[in-house]
Amino acid sequence: MSETVGFLTDTTLCIGCKACEVACKQWNQLPDDGFALTGRSYDNTTALGASTWRHVLFAEQTSTTHGIAWKMMSDVCKHCERAGCLEACPTGAIIRTEHGSIYIQPDVCNGCGYCVPACPFGVVARSEDDGRAWKCTLCYDRLQGQLEPACAKACPTDSIEFGPIERLREKATARVKALREQGVDARLYGESAEAQPGTEGLHAFFVLNDRPEAFNLPPDPQVPTKGVGRSWLAAGLAAAGLAALAIGAALFGGTHD
Amino acid sequence: MRRDVTALGDTARSARSDELRPRTEAADRVVKSVCPYCAVGCGQLVYVKDEKITDIEGDPDSPISEGCLCPKGAATRQLVTGEHRGKQVLYRRPGGTAWEPIALETAMDMVADRVAATRAETWQDELPDGRSVRRTLGIAHLGGATLDNEENYLLKKLYTALGIIQVENQARI
Amino acid sequence: MTDAEIARAHERELDPERNDARAEAALQDAHHTAAAPDAAPIGDAAAHHEHVAPVPAVAASTTGYYDLPVVKAAPWKWFVPAYFYAGGVAGASSLLRGAALLARDRRLAKQLGRLAFAGEAIGAALLVADLGKPQRFHHMMRVVRPTSPMNVGTWILGASGLLGALELVRPSKRLDAATIAAMITGGGLATYTGVLIGNTAVPAWSHARTAMPALFAASAGASAASLLELAGVRSPLVRRFALAAKTAELVAARAVEASLGAGVVGEPLREGRSGKLWRGARWLQGASVIATVLRASRVAGALGTLAGVMTRFAIHEAGRASAADPRATLAPRT
Amino acid sequence: MPGLGISFGRGGATSFQQDLQNADCILIEGSNMAECHPVGFRWVMKAKARGATIIHVDPRFTRTSAVADIHVPIRTGTDIAFLGGLVHYVIEHERYFRDYVVAYTNAANLVKPEFQDTEELDGLFSGYGEGKYKIDSWQYEGVDVVPGSGHKESVAEIEARDPDAKLARGIDEPRDESLQHPRCVFQILKRHFARYTPELVEQTCGIPREKFLAVAEALCAASGRDKTAAICYAVGWTQHSVGVQYIRTAAILQLLLGNIGRPGGGIMALRGHASIQGSTDIPTLFDLLPGYLPMPMVAHAGKLEDYIRTHRSDSAWWSEMPKYIVSLLKAWFGEHATKANDYLFDALPMLSGDHSHMATISLMADNKVRGYFVIGENPVVGTVGGPLQRKGLRKLDWLVVRDFAPTETAEFWRSAPEIASGEVNVEDIQTEVFFFPAAAHTEKAGSFTNTQRLLQWHHKAVAPPGDARSELWFAYHLGQRLKARIAESKLARDRAIHALTWDYPTEGPEEEPSAEAVLREINGYTVADGKLVDGFKQLNDDGSTASGCWIYSGVYADDTNHAAGRKPAREQSYVAPEWGWAWPSNRRILYNRASADPEGKPWSAAKKYVWWDEAKSKWTGEDVPDFIADRPPSYRPAPGASGIDTIRGDAPFIMQSDARAWLFAPSGIVDGPLPTHYEPQESVIANPLYEQQCNPIRLQWRRRDNPYHGAYRDKRYPYVLTTFRLTEHHTAGGMSRWLPWLSELQPELFVEVSIELAGELGIEQGGWATLRTARAELECRALVTRRLSPLHVGGGVVHQIAVPYHWGSIGLVHGPVVNDLFPLVGDPSVHIPESKVATCDLVRGRHARSKLAAIGDGQMSPLLPRHDKPGVGQPTAEPAQVKPKQKEKT
């Protein structure tokens, strides 16, 4: 198995140019999501979806320094260490690749849609016209040819970096340290299992200059399947209980009232 | 890799996934190009397969762009291969309410006729005060700044020889 | 009237003349006005600059991101909640069939066998109908993926369907291995859907991941019993079972509400379309218990069936509402 | 270009984008670099990572401001006041780089006693009369000065006045290197900017004192021997009625700080299109021939001698000019151009005044133009006065448009607002329109010249679809046809076409002319054997050489297309001399001799770039030295020296007639030797400095169909309107509005309004608003944002409103044309329209009555300019004075 790779997305370097969104659509041949002005700053694609696998958020805020701060973040599939979509997928369409990334095999997916609510980040979506589930592939095809993902390659300010996650982790940690020294309120998001037990760490993690919620990231995401054992136990007991009721109904009190 | 009892890995892989390759590998040729949008001058690589452009992305060799592109640059393939591209010469006659397709050669002849005629009719050898000018004010040109240097050169050379001086450019705008 | 407003009104009165004067000047004497040492404020904006009207929709919300959803709801159509019902009925029927055989009520067992198979068949059809690519339904059995309740559930449904079919061609006379097997798969069929929805990032579902199977089980029993009552099956066993299951369902429902809590996560069961359905289902179920006690079995059956169907749709709707509400997702886990 | 050309000698960015990473401070003003040049901004981010301070001065808080260290909101159109304030600060606190200033600029030169400053004449310089300046009083004491580039008409006047005037050569002009003489440039500069205090900046620009001081300190701290600061600008500076002077002020500032010609320094002009720089180097501009040679003017009466006498400088590099014009004529007319017939100079057309775009448009509207070529351009959306332009198009006999798809310009006869509103009837438009589909850059070979003067070749990848052809094909085949048509003609007017060299080899079934052949002609060759020259140093004035554009000479040296040079970045230095080719002579930083001190040693180890190698006795370094390679720092010209012999060994600005950079421009710029603050044509306040409100010689077109809003402090148009661009679109949209991937990102026109103003007007987030100027009105949705804030200016409050201008009536996403709101008014030096500022009104809701001043007659009465002192202003016909109707409040 080849080395585990992923993304480091640094919001402190993002200029919100959306090159990542377009480079992704170009390489992956994705259609537009329609033409509507949302009035939400410069964000007119709103969220990650079946045809938008990189999405740039624009948060306008007042800050002590500028009076105004405009924070931008390029969101993407997190390729979780424990991936809800992967573990939920009944067909085996979703797999973990040799690069450690999570990949939906379009030739297998039958569009059951279970991976959609199974993602704690709301990344996966089922295409209305196509019927299948889609999300960032970490440019699996490009990786097979030793090419870096289209978004990371295009990013003019290296806000998106691609590489072995070990190296990215070190880089991110150093970066946050440096930013803190400059007085920037910077923090890591999802860089390790320790930092984010709910997912056991992300392969696409972030340097944030604000609370995760400001970028619609759950502060404490939980991969649902982590609690599935308890559910099954409960199911077992419930089934037994139902059986008991049935058998009880049969055994106690005769065939006539 | 570890035994895949949970079927989260290899056992679930499809044949297609095993054979996945970047489409650029199938290209017949890769052409070095330059982004046509702003003046930063990012390097582009144009991948061609069966005389069709299959991909356009940044050229990592470029000292200016190092493989990066902005959203416009990243959309270049849609710009050059999109449905919007006109493929036919269109003509709108005086008072006409719609375009009419015409042949390229015919259109070129018609334009040449009009240039010749307008130039002849509006030629100005000298100003009222007798100072010579040798020009026409009957024809003007406005050019975009995404034209090649060679194209601007031929246009300026031709217009000047024709005595056309109202030659202007986006650079002024 | 605040000072600023008075100032504003005042400004308005004065303005027209002053404005005309300026307009005049604009046309007449350039020099004079250009040099006018008039330090009057610029435009009317400045005049009452202090008076700033209520700020319109602020760009970014303080919590979250423009109040947009964090997680996505299941893209399922009505087929899926309908399946929850059908599958539940089938599962409970298989269980009850065992009990019937135990009570040597073969006639009832035979009816339950038919009911179980019908539920399995219809359920499977509903599931396939909901797929984005129905022609690929068989991919469901492409792998065995124990981490996926839906995958496990498919195997359960498959097995249960197989046993159900077997039962149709060769009805068992007593509580034999096949029947016990069918009872086990039936139990699974009646409850795994509770695990399935609990195993998502939808707060209203996942926060109740242990209560949901109980609710689904009880509701399955209640639904099956209600159908029998509706069909006019006169059997004390059924009546006793109906009473027990319906009561259990009411209890389990409370448990679900309790695990979602009184906060935003539980909101969908109290408010909106899902809230109406949920509360409606509870009342109907209560009524059907009474009807069962009063031996108005057809009424009880009708009420119970309606309650069963509504419960499934209430939970499905609650899921949508919950996923759409970022507060629920960003809320600390209970 | 003159802004840079006049100050330094060449009209191009002085540096290259990658070099921005070496800056210790970067001032971005008049540019929204992160949004309009994201990949160029990569190098700013690298500088920031190295600890550089990034400053963004802009009316709006943009995506550039978001990552800058300091954002300074400014009132649109007041940049000279701000930059002048910085100049004042640098002089006042003696933060200038004295050694550099004394040695390399004209700070020490004495100016004629007759010169009078705007401070003395309340907003005018000496020499004003009839809407223009006579520049004789601006000259150095005792000598006249010929500029290396820029506007030669003014010089022509000097010559006409005094044919044997002594000309400045940089040798013996009177100078006071102590900079104390009251008439030395430095003292004049000091007096001129004395009033530009932080307080004046505050009340003019609306910039709080402390913010201004923070910027001034950051710039000064990052300049000197060991540090350098860079300035980046774009059309936010050029598109003003004093645009050139904005850039002049920046040049003065950078010269005082010693930041020109040094790594991490310079002034980076950020052009908006792939080859804007190229289209001025090889101009499709009315007043220039290739290589910034001026077009012939009536004054030259068709005599090459007069043309040369007017434009040639006796000294420094511009003394070589005859070689360049003769070689150009040889390139164009081949063997027909001989010494005997003056190389057919008299066959060239001559200028008698302003024939720029706006002038042409108003002629067109007056039915004086018959035919129009619009090639790869969409003026109806992309430039000011759209309705007036369409009025012009309606009066043409024929219009040719070449583009990817029919644009708003090509379809003016059916998709224009006045057609939609029924004010104009399609059938009544008699214009014949031809639309030719154009080939894309991937379908033809050729070179672009990017924003850093770098020529990059793009190769042909595939054949163009259907009838699509390159402009090269169009020009060549149109030329062939016209040559054929006049083949038999003996008329004098056809001489030039007869003689025109037009024999380019063609390729393929489409007969595409060879772009390489054209580039070879541009590079130049020796006439005898057709051998390519290695650079302009090999060109002669005796007809033995030909070159289509002398500054590009060398691009084909050693018979190699250096524009196609593609040595990977990682295999060469950061200067990357083997990637593409930069004019002149493949230099990447201009005037780089200034990176060394007068003795030829680097100013500091940290900023080492080009230096004198004593051992090899030649200039050497990272880049091609911008100097005579073997001329030692110690070289001093003989008293009688002329030509390039006059260039001292310590004079880096070799294009200037005195080889010095100009703080004070004695010549070559038509609206003043020094920049001074004027209010825009349309402003909401009075000029805080002078009674003279606007640039006294700004270009105006006073017509009923081009009304100006003259009054200020006027409730009819109380707000300041400015325009901007979005990353997601490209200028007039011809290359973006048709693309789904870009259109979805910015699908619709919106107006950015501050929360405060939106509050006052009751405009809601995403709600509708109507925007009005004296020309037009439009409706769009509002983006209420904190990124715009009211400015406190001159005791009042100024609200600024901003709109992007990419949309039009056709394409995948539509929207009203913002430039319709702006009038024809322009900068007198470069004729660029003032499209970055106007006065406007904004109201809640949808109230547009599709009123266009240019449609019909007097629908909107012109609001006459009252912006000039008595007796100042263009002597143009006044329109009938009509009292403007009070606008009904909605």
Side-chain angles (χ1 to χ4, degrees), chain A residues 15-16 18 21-22 25-26 30 32-37 39 42 44 60 62 66 68 70 72 156-158, chain D residues 34 38 42 60-63 66 724 726 728 740-741 743-747 752 765 781 783 785-787 812:
Chain A
I15 55 172
K18 306 179 190 170
E21 284 195 37
V22 178
K25 292 209 174 195
Q26 195 281 133
L30 301 175
D32 61 78
D33 327 356
F35 310 99
L37 184 74
Y42 285 3
N44 290 309
E60 293 189 16
T62 41
H66 279 118
I68 158 89
W70 202 9
M72 297 140 201
T157 58
D158 298 337
Chain D
R42 173 181 184 79
R60 305 163 50 237
F61 186 99
T62 70
R63 284 177 261 197
F724 61 94
L726 294 162
E728 299 86 345
W741 289 335
S743 298
E744 71 173 324
L745 300 177
Q746 292 289 2
E752 291 192 349
Q765 182 64 274
R781 313 253 304 273
L783 212 55
T785 176
R786 290 195 176 89
R787 296 183 291 100
L812 193 55

Side-chain angles (χ1 to χ4, degrees), chain D residues 337-354:
Chain D
T338 64
K339 190 160 187 23
N341 66 9
D342 230 7
Y343 305 102
L344 281 181
F345 178 79
D346 68 338
L348 299 177
M350 287 158 245
L351 307 184
S352 55
D354 177 6

Side-chain angles (χ1 to χ4, degrees), chain C residues 97 109-110 113-114 162-172 179:
Chain C
R97 191 166 60 85
K110 202 158 190 300
R114 292 212 200 83
L162 219 60
L163 292 163
L166 194 73
E167 167 63 20
L168 283 190
V169 292
R170 196 190 56 75
S172 17
T179 315

Side-chain angles (χ1 to χ4, degrees), chain A residues 17-19 22-23 26-27 29 86 92 95-96 98 103 105-108 140-142 144-145 147 153-156, chain B residues 1 8-9 12-14 16-17 20-25 54-58 60 67-71 74-75 77:
Chain A
C17 72
K18 306 179 190 170
V22 178
Q26 195 281 133
W27 177 260
Q29 298 303 292
L86 168 68
I95 57 167
R96 183 174 304 277
E98 62 271 42
Y103 177 59
Q105 306 176 94
D107 55 327
V108 177
Y140 193 24
D141 50 355
R142 289 175 69 90
Q144 301 308 58
L147 301 173
K153 182 184 178 185
C155 181
Chain B
M1 123 171 226
L8 296 174
R13 289 176 69 93
S14 71
R16 177 186 171 280
S17 302
L20 213 52
R21 305 298 301 173
R23 66 173 177 275
T24 44
E25 282 183 1
T54 56
D55 184 47
I56 297 181
E57 56 187 77
C68 304
L69 288 175
C70 77
R77 190 166 62 87

Side-chain angles (χ1 to χ4, degrees), chain A residues 45-50 52-55 75-78 122-123 125, chain C residues 72:
Chain A
T45 39
T46 303
L48 291 169
T52 296
W53 299 352
R54 266 277 179 192
H55 167 243
D75 198 6
V76 68
C77 170
K78 318 297 181 293
V123 168
Chain C
K72 288 187 167 60

Side-chain angles (χ1 to χ4, degrees), chain D residues 16-49:
Chain D
F16 61 106
Q17 294 171 101
Q18 304 95 292
D19 186 57
L20 287 171
Q21 70 187 299
N22 297 320
D24 301 287
C25 177
I26 301 174
L27 171 64
I28 302 167
E29 185 172 347
S31 156
N32 180 5
M33 192 175 180
E35 296 198 43
C36 301
H37 302 87
V39 180
F41 197 73
R42 173 181 184 79
W43 303 102
V44 176
M45 292 299 277
K46 281 186 195 272
K48 191 184 181 203

